Amino acid sequence: MYQAILFDVDGTLLSMSGGAFMQDYLGRMANFFDPHTDGNGKQIAKAVATASKAMEEHEGNKTNAQVFWSVFEGLGPWTRAEFEPIFNEF
């Protein structure tokens, strides 16, 4: 069992750009979500990218999770209650 998973998204340990990492990560996410969403994995990955960008850019008193889920749920017919367990599985 894994004790920790470390992400090197800024290229400190590996020579990979954050953009390349996100492109690969979102592609894998889309493939994973396809069977859970009747082939709509790409839409889910796009929604995750948009919600993540909003989370990065937000300033204020909301938590990152609040911003992410608010944006994510607004982009399609999905809910946090429905998708958070699938995200955790991914």
Side-chain angles (χ1 to χ4, degrees):
M1 173 172 235
Y2 295 107
Q3 295 280 330
I5 298 175
L6 306 174
F7 293 95
D8 178 34
V9 296
D10 67 352
T12 303
L13 301 174
L14 301 172
S15 60
M16 175 185 249
S17 74
F21 169 82
M22 286 304 291
Q23 184 176 357
D24 183 60
Y25 180 78
L26 292 172
R28 290 170 189 263
M29 178 181 286
N31 291 336
F32 178 84
F33 271 89
D34 266 347
H36 296 282
T37 61
D38 297 324
N40 292 312
K42 286 184 182 180
Q43 288 179 319
I44 298 299
K46 286 180 185 178
V48 166
T50 300
S52 296
K53 182 86 169 153
M55 187 180 65
E56 286 177 29
E57 295 175 349
H58 96 280
E59 294 181 19
N61 57 0
K62 289 185 178 182
T63 66
N64 285 340
Q66 289 170 324
V67 172
F68 177 88
W69 287 110
S70 174
V71 172
F72 180 82
E73 288 180 320
L75 294 171
W78 38 69
T79 65
R80 180 179 185 171
E82 179 184 8
F83 274 84
E84 191 168 33
I86 304 170
F87 280 121
N88 289 337
E89 185 181 338
F90 174 69

